[in-house]
């Protein structure tokens, strides 16, 4: 007997919608360097540093989220509850990215940038992405259905990414190009994210039973961190993060230099 198939078109659509908030959050974070330096007037070096620190927090939060999800005891499952739990936090965190107070001192602004970026990348994004990635394996045993799930997810993610990459700045410029214009657009994306996560929660199922881990397989979180740093690839990962930081900083400075020379 072959593997039983259980998914319909509505199931694929509901599952694919889960990719929207993830791509919305990641793509908006990708636009923050421009927003912070051009619309809020923050220093380029400070922006790059705060985003780097947020990425470091994000690296450790992935490990913590996996542990939290494994220890979940909700009757709704291990993955599904997180989509409902993160719906409102996703809405709030997306809006907070663009509500940087302009009348604060530079130190408080740096703290605001760091806190809001840690909130959206290390907490909200991670709390959605980890269960969402695991959901494909426990939604169905059919490799064909999993393949279709991947296609729908990629399609929705591509749509979200293209809309933000191509239309975000033109739309905000149409609305005045000010910080308030960005906040208005952020509210729209926040609503899309909230509704997508609620639909994902409603339509998703956990049909495949996952075997419980034995006590020998349960590694304490602190011990897991130690093992991570002993891994031979950890140095390469840290170097990659630093390279990304300096590349981002270089791009910011080149952008600012081009702006300066264009004014002359």
């Amino acid at each position: 007997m072959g593997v039983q198939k259980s998914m319909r078109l509505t199931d694929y659509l509901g599952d694919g919608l889960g990719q929207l908030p993830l791509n919305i959050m990641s793509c908006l974070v990708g636009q923050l360097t421009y927003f912070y330096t051009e619309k809020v007037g923050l220093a380029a070096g400070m922006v790059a540093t705060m985003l780097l620190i947020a990425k470091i927090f994000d690296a450790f939060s992935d490990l913590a989220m996996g542990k939290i999800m494994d220890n979940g005891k909700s009757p709704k499952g291990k993955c599904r509850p997180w989509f409902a739990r993160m719906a409102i936090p996703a809405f709030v965190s997306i809006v907070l990215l663009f509500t940087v107070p302009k009348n604060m001192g530079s130190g408080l602004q740096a703290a605001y940038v760091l806190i809001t970026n840690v909130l959206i990348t290390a907490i909200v994004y991670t709390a959605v992405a980890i269960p969402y990635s695991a959901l494909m394996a426990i939604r169905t045993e059919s490799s064909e259905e999993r393949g279709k799930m991947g296609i729908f997810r990629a399609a929705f993610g591509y749509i979200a990414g293209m809309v933000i990459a191509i239309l975000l700045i033109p739309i905000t410029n149409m609305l005045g190009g000010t910080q308030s214009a960005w906040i208005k657009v952020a509210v729209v994306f926040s609503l899309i994210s909230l509704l997508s996560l609620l639909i994902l929660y409603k339509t998703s199922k956990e049909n495949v039973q996952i075997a419980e881990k034995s006590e020998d397989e349960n590694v304490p979180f602190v011990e897991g961190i130690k093992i991570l740093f002993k891994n031979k690839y950890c140095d390469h990962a840290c170097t990659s993060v630093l390279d990304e930081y300096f590349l981002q900083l270089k791009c910011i400075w080149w952008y600012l230099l081009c702006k300066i020379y264009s004014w002359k």
Side-chain angles (χ1 to χ4, degrees), residues 43-72:
M46 182 270 283
V47 170
T49 301
M50 294 302 104
L51 294 180
L52 170 66
I53 296 173
K55 285 183 178 293
I56 295 173
F57 275 99
D58 184 32
F60 288 101
S61 70
D62 288 348
L63 296 173
M65 185 60 207
K67 189 72 173 179
I68 292 171
M69 194 180 74
D70 283 342
N71 294 333

Side-chain angles (χ1 to χ4, degrees), residues 63-263:
L63 296 173
M65 185 60 207
K67 189 72 173 179
I68 292 171
M69 194 180 74
D70 283 342
N71 294 333
K73 302 296 183 182
S74 172
K76 301 293 185 181
K78 291 185 178 293
C79 300
R80 291 184 64 237
W82 290 101
F83 307 141
R85 291 169 186 167
M86 290 296 112
I88 293 178
F91 177 93
V92 173
S93 61
I94 291 173
V95 176
L96 288 178
L97 284 177
F98 301 96
T99 55
V100 184
K102 285 189 173 182
N103 55 352
M104 278 186 174
S106 58
L108 291 176
Q109 286 181 325
Y112 184 93
V113 169
L114 176 60
I115 292 171
T116 52
N117 274 274
V118 168
L119 174 63
I120 195 168
T121 59
I123 298 177
V124 178
Y125 184 93
T126 298
V128 175
I130 300 299
Y132 187 58
S133 298
L135 181 64
M136 184 180 292
I138 59 180
R139 175 63 177 87
T140 176
E141 292 182 321
S142 169
S143 58
E144 180 182 344
E145 289 184 332
R146 289 177 182 176
K148 290 181 180 179
M149 289 172 69
I151 292 173
F152 275 85
R153 290 184 178 193
F156 277 101
Y158 179 80
I159 291 170
M162 289 297 293
V163 168
I164 292 176
I166 297 175
L167 298 179
L168 178 61
I169 293 179
I171 290 175
T172 54
N173 288 338
M174 286 175 56
L175 296 174
T178 60
Q179 182 179 1
S180 61
W182 283 74
I183 294 173
K184 293 174 184 176
V185 174
V187 170
V188 174
F189 283 121
S190 298
L191 286 172
I192 295 172
S193 299
L194 185 149
L195 293 174
S196 297
L197 286 171
L198 292 178
I199 293 173
L200 174 63
Y201 170 75
K202 185 70 175 178
T203 59
S204 60
K205 299 176 183 177
E206 298 186 17
N207 294 331
V208 180
Q209 295 297 321
I210 304 297
E212 294 292 332
K213 291 184 178 180
S214 65
E215 292 186 4
D216 294 338
E217 293 177 298
N218 287 327
V219 179
F221 179 71
V222 176
E223 186 66 24
I225 297 296
K226 293 179 182 179
I227 295 173
L228 172 66
F229 280 106
K230 291 179 181 178
N231 190 290
K232 65 179 181 179
Y233 298 109
C234 183
D235 291 340
H236 298 294
C238 293
T239 302
S240 177
V241 171
L242 289 174
D243 287 344
E244 183 177 347
Y245 165 70
F246 287 114
L247 176 61
Q248 187 178 52
L249 187 60
K250 185 187 296 184
C251 290
I252 294 173
W253 281 115
W254 274 110
Y255 174 78
L256 292 176
L257 284 174
C258 291
K259 293 288 289 185
I260 292 171
Y261 282 108
S262 67
W263 291 336

